[in-house]
Amino acid sequence: MSSEDLGTDKVPHSCPLSGPLNKRVARKGARFNVPDSSSSKDDGYVEITLDVCDDSVAVHSLKAANGDDLEQDPELALLAKGLEKRTTLGSLMARNASAKIRQVGHELKRLTSFTKKPARFDRTKSAAAHALTGLKFISKTDGGHGWAAVEKRFDEITGSNNGYLPRSQFGECIGMESKEFAGLLFDALARRQNLHGDSIDKVHLKYFWDQISNQSFDARLQTFFDMVDKDADGRITEEEVKEIISLSASANKLSNIQKQAEEYAALIMEELDPDNLGYIMINNLEMLLLQAPNQSVRGESRNLSQMISQNLKPTHDHNPLRRFYRGTKYFLVDNWQRVWVMALWIAVMCGLFTYKYIEYRRRKDVFDVMRHCVCFAKGAAETLKLNMALILLPVCRNTITWLRNKTKLGVVVPFDDNLNFHKVIAVGITIGVGIHGIAHLACDFPRLLHATPDQYRPMIKYFGKQHTSYWHFVRHVEGITGIVMVVLMAIAFTLATPWFRRGKMKNLPKPLKKLTGFNAFWYSHHLFVIVYTLLIVHGIKLFLTDKFCKRTTWMYLAIPVFLYLCERLTRLLRSSIKAVAIQKVAVYPGNVLALHMSKPHAFRYKSGQYMFVNCAAVSPFEWHPFSITSAPGDDNLSVHIRTLGDWTRQLRTVFSEVCQQPTDGKSGLLRADCLQGTNNPNFPRVLIDGPYGAPAQDYKKYEIVLLIGLGIGATPMISIVKDIVNNIKAKEEQEDEEEEDKMNALENGNGAAINKTSLSNSKRRLENFKTRRAYFYWVTREQGSFDWFKGIMNEVAEMDRNRVIELHNYCTSVYEEGDARSALITMLQALNHAKNGVDVVSGTRVKSHFAKPDWRRVYKQIAVNHNNARVGVFYCGAPALTKELRQLASDFSRKTSTKFDFHKENF
């Protein structure tokens, strides 16, 4: 670039009207050469004329040296306006003329760098439409209302420091979490106004906010460029790219990218600086940002998408009867299995209560003394007998698994809700105990004490002679056993509540903290061994009943208790026979322990099922359920265990002692493989029991499946994904075998001599496999979590040549796509995936998404792609998302032709 002075003229009163009109004004012109082989000699120059006052500079004109008007070029016109605005702001800052000229000179250099005309990205392409809304510095910026909140925070922060906002609190003031990123933004905007201090007043803050909240993509792009361009020379060097990558990675909690910032900076420079100039320009960033993937929906799919959106709009019915009818109908359609089971249970409870109530209402000798109190007590007792028997059935997992796999009862019985039904029965027991105990202690016994001798005479054969002491009735076997049972059940029920079982009671005194957590829940639940023993004794020593055949408690309990004992015996025998050898152990980021073990003989399971694990080195009595992450066709078993409680924490500690740091770059932080000879690590003994049925095992019934896993909840879905790939591979092999057999038969001249036995065996193996399309969404908040299943994800991406499985990884620690804080990560992700086929966030071949998924959009896309299909939705993760996913499945099933069946893992 070269420049030459075109002369100086004195022009009166041509400055901006910000000062006296008698200032001396000098008009100066300069011509700047823009080298371009495609332009003529004159076309390579841009002529700029400035009006220079004592304390300000203004742009007088901007045109090509050949006389052409450049106002038609929106890029140069915009830059000229920016130059004039900046020089005008400079006059308000009362800078001297020489400083202004230097500033203008610097801006002219920036201007000439933009006047070079490289091939710009075509913004009219549909692929760029989404990117043009990106580069947001503040999420959900809403103009004036946003400034009102910022101004309020400014007044609160600066109340004690004379109205100046320090740089260190700039992020807090504008609502930006990352202080480092906010500091970089502060510096970029301060350089624009030639501010050199570390604090600003409200006027400058308003200017900063206007720039941050500007909805123009060009303005946001320039601001982002200025953040990276720290020396304000209009160029970005590799060192500046490295620094912003490190800062962006820190803001998005991506530690792996932060460690490789230098490598990724070199990748960006290699792509955007092919001429090895040592810098990149703003147009390079623009081109990269606007090259977004085209996700438009066209033709019939577009029309269907619009129709679905229209159908999903909420309708407001002002008729309360119609609203009630529609809501009830939808509820029954979605929950008819639960409804009939609950209705049957409630009807039986009411029937038993009514039967006993009427029976004792008709016993004149008893009713005359204790009146309706004894009727309530005996009616509640009868419901308690059945509930104490029923509550064991939902936890007989082997029986439920057999019924699920071998019978058709699963069509009408919601086996997936076994634990929920267990809890409902527990509530019924609580109500029954309350009615029974209160009726006896607060009503029956006081009436017996205050009865007249004539009234009491029929009671002598049941209670002996009349006493005046209340404790005469309580100290009997019936009273003692009843009170002890109530106390033990109260302890077990309390420690089973989510607040105690999940350790949410943070404010308990230190001695009582041992009563929280899974261990307290597990051991307290075994108090029911004592409770059932006392219940049988209590039932034999029953008040007001002489005949043994009327003492029916043992009759209710006999079969369920026998079945439960068989279950526990089966576990004991099966786990002792099925000894497993630990083959590999890995401890991953996020405190996840992976155990790979040998598969016991005849251990057959389905993807989505789970098993119990016991480690005597931690506790010889505790068994904990974990989803099986290996596929049925794998040679070994594997489970991934997240450290969340006492038992898992101790298990991780025990195995960490025999693991070593990886030396070959493997992902596990700690790792131990089973070696040959005498070098095998001394792993603790592990027992397993299972497999047990779970909702996800039914995925093969659906042609289309949507698999959703949150964090460690991805474990059953990983097994399903692997199983789908294995089944697809087996199906292809079967087709190849059929084709080969046909060819052999034709060559032998006997078309009927096909090996029908082998073909029938292959078909039988795949007859239950219907899945032809799967969508897997894995959402996690930590980048390190992707290491858990990195190998599996890469294997699936490589083997799934027909793209049957659509994999989606979401990292919620990264700001949403389009946010300036993740813009460079997005660029880097696109470049690295295009060049190396590896995602920079997950480290796999699967490209990651940022922030949380839009689940409504996910459902809608599946409904568009699979019209008139039935989709199985399988979810494993935190309960908070269950309601939203279930509601969306219900809404889309009602209002579209695609039906969604929602299932959640409950073990």
Side-chain angles (χ1 to χ4, degrees):
M1 180 179 69
S2 63
S3 63
E4 48 184 294
D5 195 359
L6 299 181
T8 301
D9 299 320
K10 303 294 183 182
V11 182
H13 313 312
S14 63
C15 294
L17 301 178
S18 58
L21 295 180
N22 58 354
K23 291 185 178 180
R24 292 171 56 83
V25 179
R27 178 168 293 166
K28 292 180 179 276
R31 176 177 293 178
F32 290 84
N33 181 21
V34 183
D36 192 340
S37 59
S38 63
S39 61
S40 64
K41 181 178 179 181
D42 289 336
D43 291 341
Y45 288 87
V46 175
E47 183 176 317
I48 303 171
T49 304
L50 306 175
D51 291 340
V52 182
C53 299
D54 293 338
D55 59 353
S56 66
V57 181
V59 177
H60 179 76
S61 64
L62 175 68
K63 60 184 178 180
N66 59 10
D68 292 341
D69 189 3
L70 294 180
E71 291 182 357
Q72 295 180 353
D73 190 329
E75 187 178 89
L76 291 175
L78 178 65
L79 291 171
K81 291 180 181 179
L83 178 60
E84 184 173 359
K85 181 177 180 181
R86 294 182 186 193
T87 54
T88 304
L89 285 172
S91 66
L92 296 176
M93 300 299 295
R95 305 296 182 190
N96 57 54
S98 60
K100 286 303 161 188
I101 293 175
R102 286 196 298 271
Q103 181 183 356
V104 171
H106 173 68
E107 294 295 334
L108 292 176
K109 291 180 182 179
R110 293 175 62 89
L111 177 61
T112 56
S113 69
F114 281 101
T115 55
K116 184 178 179 179
K117 295 280 187 178
R120 293 191 50 142
F121 189 84
D122 185 5
R123 296 187 180 187
T124 62
K125 294 180 180 179
S126 59
H130 175 72
L132 285 170
T133 64
L135 276 181
K136 296 178 294 184
F137 292 94
I138 299 292
S139 300
K140 299 180 181 178
T141 300
D142 55 356
H145 178 72
W147 166 247
V150 172
E151 187 177 24
K152 181 179 178 182
R153 285 193 292 268
F154 176 86
D155 294 336
E156 294 173 353
I157 295 173
T158 61
S160 58
N161 50 7
N162 300 323
Y164 279 88
L165 178 69
R167 178 182 181 275
S168 59
Q169 293 182 287
F170 178 67
E172 178 186 351
C173 184
I174 65 173
M176 184 176 288
E177 295 179 2
S178 173
K179 291 185 177 181
E180 294 84 0
F181 197 90
L184 208 61
L185 181 59
F186 179 96
D187 294 340
L189 296 173
R191 284 195 296 270
R192 285 189 182 182
Q193 297 205 48
N194 202 22
L195 299 177
H196 301 289
D198 286 337
S199 60
I200 56 175
D201 57 18
K202 187 180 291 188
V203 174
H204 289 108
L205 178 64
K206 182 64 169 66
Y207 170 79
F208 282 19
W209 178 255
D210 289 341
Q211 300 302 308
I212 293 171
S213 59
N214 195 322
Q215 298 302 305
S216 166
F217 176 78
D218 292 296
R220 295 197 301 269
L221 177 64
Q222 185 63 58
T223 300
F224 183 77
F225 186 88
D226 291 344
M227 288 177 62
V228 186
D229 182 22
K230 287 193 169 184
D231 55 5
D233 61 352
R235 304 170 179 179
I236 300 178
T237 63
E238 184 172 344
E239 187 62 30
E240 289 173 329
V241 172
K242 174 185 173 183
E243 188 171 344
I244 194 65
I245 287 177
S246 180
L247 186 63
S248 297
S250 175
N252 292 280
K253 302 176 183 177
L254 300 174
S255 56
N256 292 346
I257 294 180
Q258 197 171 4
K259 295 174 183 175
Q260 298 175 274
E262 185 173 352
E263 174 187 342
Y264 290 139
L267 175 65
I268 289 180
M269 296 301 295
E270 177 184 347
E271 178 68 21
L272 300 185
D273 180 27
D275 298 330
N276 295 321
L277 299 176
Y279 59 86
I280 57 178
M281 308 298 293
I282 192 170
N283 58 280
N284 302 123
L285 281 181
E286 179 188 16
M287 181 179 63
L288 188 60
L289 281 169
L290 296 184
Q291 285 178 335
N294 192 349
Q295 298 178 345
S296 61
V297 182
R298 298 177 181 174
E300 295 182 2
S301 295
R302 179 186 295 276
N303 295 333
L304 181 60
S305 176
Q306 293 174 350
M307 183 180 68
I308 289 175
S309 299
Q310 185 67 29
N311 291 341
L312 289 173
K313 288 183 179 179
T315 57
H316 301 285
D317 195 337
H318 299 289
N319 190 319
L321 293 178
R322 279 201 298 265
R323 284 202 308 269
F324 176 78
Y325 169 76
R326 185 171 59 247
T328 303
K329 183 181 71 173
Y330 288 154
F331 177 81
L332 291 176
V333 169
D334 294 338
N335 301 281
W336 67 269
Q337 292 175 311
R338 300 183 183 94
V339 168
W340 85 259
V341 170
M342 288 297 299
L344 178 63
W345 176 70
I346 292 173
V348 172
M349 293 301 104
C350 293
L352 289 174
F353 185 90
T354 304
Y355 164 71
K356 276 297 175 181
Y357 188 96
I358 295 174
E359 178 184 337
Y360 277 84
R361 176 66 179 83
R362 291 174 177 175
R363 290 184 60 174
K364 184 173 176 57
D365 56 342
V366 176
F367 187 78
D368 287 344
V369 179
M370 292 179 277
R371 307 299 294 174
H372 292 280
C373 300
V374 70
C375 300
F376 276 96
K378 290 300 182 178
E382 200 68 16
T383 64
L384 278 171
K385 296 175 188 177
L386 181 62
N387 282 334
M388 290 297 289
L390 287 178
I391 200 169
L392 294 175
L393 297 181
V395 291
C396 292
R397 290 181 169 87
N398 286 303
T399 303
I400 292 177
T401 301
W402 184 85
L403 291 173
R404 177 199 290 273
N405 295 339
K406 303 298 183 181
T407 71
K408 299 295 185 180
L409 285 176
V411 177
V412 293
V413 179
F415 289 122
D416 297 343
D417 290 322
N418 61 321
L419 292 184
N420 291 331
F421 189 51
H422 179 78
K423 297 172 185 176
V424 168
I425 297 173
V427 173
I429 290 174
T430 303
I431 295 172
V433 168
I435 296 174
H436 181 74
I438 292 172
H440 271 325
L441 297 175
C443 187
D444 287 339
F445 294 165
R447 281 184 171 274
L448 289 171
L449 289 173
H450 297 94
T452 64
D454 291 338
Q455 289 177 325
Y456 187 80
R457 189 172 294 111
M459 299 294 102
I460 294 176
K461 61 180 178 180
Y462 303 119
F463 300 101
K465 64 179 182 178
Q466 189 172 14
H467 283 261
T468 58
S469 173
Y470 182 86
W471 297 108
H472 167 74
F473 302 101
V474 178
R475 68 189 180 198
H476 281 226
V477 174
E478 299 89 331
I480 295 173
T481 54
I483 291 173
V484 173
M485 281 192 294
V486 169
V487 172
L488 294 180
M489 283 193 289
I491 295 172
F493 284 16
T494 302
L495 298 183
T497 57
W499 300 281
F500 282 90
R501 183 166 58 89
R502 298 184 181 276
K504 296 180 179 179
M505 305 292 288
K506 304 296 184 182
N507 298 325
L508 287 175
K510 191 172 182 179
L512 295 180
K513 284 188 177 179
K514 293 183 179 180
L515 297 178
T516 63
F518 187 86
N519 284 352
F521 156 76
W522 195 87
Y523 284 112
S524 66
H525 248 54
H526 284 74
L527 294 174
F528 277 95
V529 175
I530 303 174
V531 170
Y532 276 95
T533 304
L534 294 176
L535 180 60
I536 294 173
V537 174
H538 187 82
I540 293 174
K541 297 289 185 177
L542 203 60
F543 282 133
L544 305 174
T545 303
D546 290 330
K547 296 179 181 179
F548 184 77
C549 63
K550 293 288 187 179
R551 298 170 180 175
T552 56
T553 303
W554 66 274
M555 300 179 188
Y556 281 98
L557 298 179
I559 295 178
V561 169
F562 175 76
L563 188 62
Y564 183 75
L565 290 176
C566 290
E567 288 264 341
R568 299 304 294 260
L569 183 62
T570 301
R571 171 182 291 183
L572 179 64
L573 295 176
R574 187 165 55 184
S575 61
S576 61
I577 294 173
K578 293 181 180 178
V580 294
I582 302 297
Q583 297 176 338
K584 185 170 66 175
V585 176
V587 181
Y588 292 105
N591 290 324
V592 169
L593 173 69
L595 298 180
H596 300 260
M597 60 198 80
S598 61
K599 184 191 296 185
H601 179 67
F603 187 91
R604 296 184 179 89
Y605 65 97
K606 298 179 181 179
S607 288
Q609 291 185 330
Y610 66 97
M611 66 182 183
F612 281 82
V613 176
N614 169 272
C615 181
V618 178
S619 172
F621 306 110
E622 294 185 48
W623 293 81
H624 294 262
F626 299 101
S627 295
I628 303 173
T629 51
S630 53
D634 293 348
D635 296 329
N636 58 10
L637 284 173
S638 64
V639 291
H640 287 67
I641 302 171
R642 182 77 179 266
T643 303
L644 293 174
D646 301 336
W647 188 86
T648 52
R649 191 177 300 110
Q650 294 175 38
L651 183 71
R652 180 184 183 277
T653 302
V654 167
F655 276 98
S656 297
E657 293 175 353
V658 294
C659 294
Q660 66 272 357
Q661 293 287 344
T663 57
D664 55 356
K666 294 182 180 179
S667 59
L669 292 178
L670 296 170
R671 184 172 220 95
D673 296 331
C674 186
L675 307 174
Q676 298 294 329
T678 59
N679 295 326
N680 285 345
N682 187 22
F683 291 120
R685 185 166 180 257
V686 171
L687 303 177
I688 64 171
D689 175 46
Y692 292 104
Q697 74 177 56
D698 296 329
Y699 84 92
K700 290 185 179 181
K701 298 178 181 178
Y702 298 92
E703 292 187 351
I704 313 298
V705 294
L706 171 59
L707 311 173
I708 302 172
L710 260 62
I712 198 64
T715 48
M717 311 309 167
I718 288 293
S719 177
I720 292 174
V721 167
K722 292 175 65 178
D723 192 40
I724 291 174
V725 172
N726 291 343
N727 277 282
I728 293 170
K729 187 177 180 181
K731 201 170 185 178
E732 292 175 353
E733 292 176 353
Q734 174 188 315
E735 293 172 354
D736 293 340
E737 289 177 4
E738 291 179 359
E739 188 67 26
E740 185 178 350
D741 287 341
K742 289 179 181 178
M743 295 297 295
N744 291 336
L746 292 174
E747 290 176 1
N748 295 332
N750 184 5
I754 300 175
N755 190 348
K756 295 183 179 179
T757 304
S758 62
L759 290 179
S760 62
N761 290 336
S762 299
K763 289 181 179 179
R764 191 179 302 112
R765 187 171 63 248
L766 296 172
E767 61 182 359
N768 293 326
F769 182 73
K770 298 181 179 180
T771 307
R772 58 182 176 85
R773 184 67 167 164
Y775 299 86
F776 175 42
Y777 284 79
W778 183 19
V779 185
T780 181
R781 70 167 62 95
E782 299 171 352
Q783 182 187 16
S785 302
F786 294 113
D787 289 346
W788 305 345
F789 308 115
K790 180 185 292 186
I792 297 173
M793 301 293 273
N794 286 332
E795 180 184 355
V796 171
E798 181 179 356
M799 293 180 61
D800 185 22
R801 292 185 294 272
N802 296 328
R803 297 295 181 264
V804 174
I805 305 172
E806 191 174 296
L807 302 173
H808 297 270
N809 292 336
Y810 278 81
C811 186
T812 59
S813 70
V814 184
Y815 289 97
E816 63 183 345
E817 295 173 12
D819 194 297
R821 288 162 287 189
S822 61
L824 208 65
I825 304 299
T826 304
M827 299 182 210
L828 184 59
Q829 182 189 50
L831 288 176
N832 197 68
H833 201 275
K835 182 177 181 180
N836 303 318
V838 177
D839 182 65
V840 294
V841 177
S842 66
T844 68
R845 298 184 180 185
V846 182
K847 198 170 182 180
S848 298
H849 306 280
F850 304 153
K852 297 179 180 179
D854 183 348
W855 295 114
R856 176 171 287 271
R857 180 177 296 177
V858 171
Y859 275 82
K860 180 181 175 182
Q861 190 61 47
I862 294 175
V864 170
N865 294 341
H866 306 284
N867 194 22
N868 296 316
R870 182 168 290 276
V871 181
V873 182
F874 299 92
Y875 169 66
C876 184
L881 188 58
T882 304
K883 183 178 179 181
E884 179 184 355
L885 294 176
R886 179 178 281 120
Q887 186 61 48
L888 284 172
S890 178
D891 289 344
F892 276 84
S893 296
R894 296 169 191 166
K895 300 180 179 181
T896 70
S897 61
T898 306
K899 306 305 176 186
F900 292 85
D901 296 337
F902 181 80
H903 307 271
K904 182 185 183 300
E905 299 291 291
N906 290 317
F907 66 87

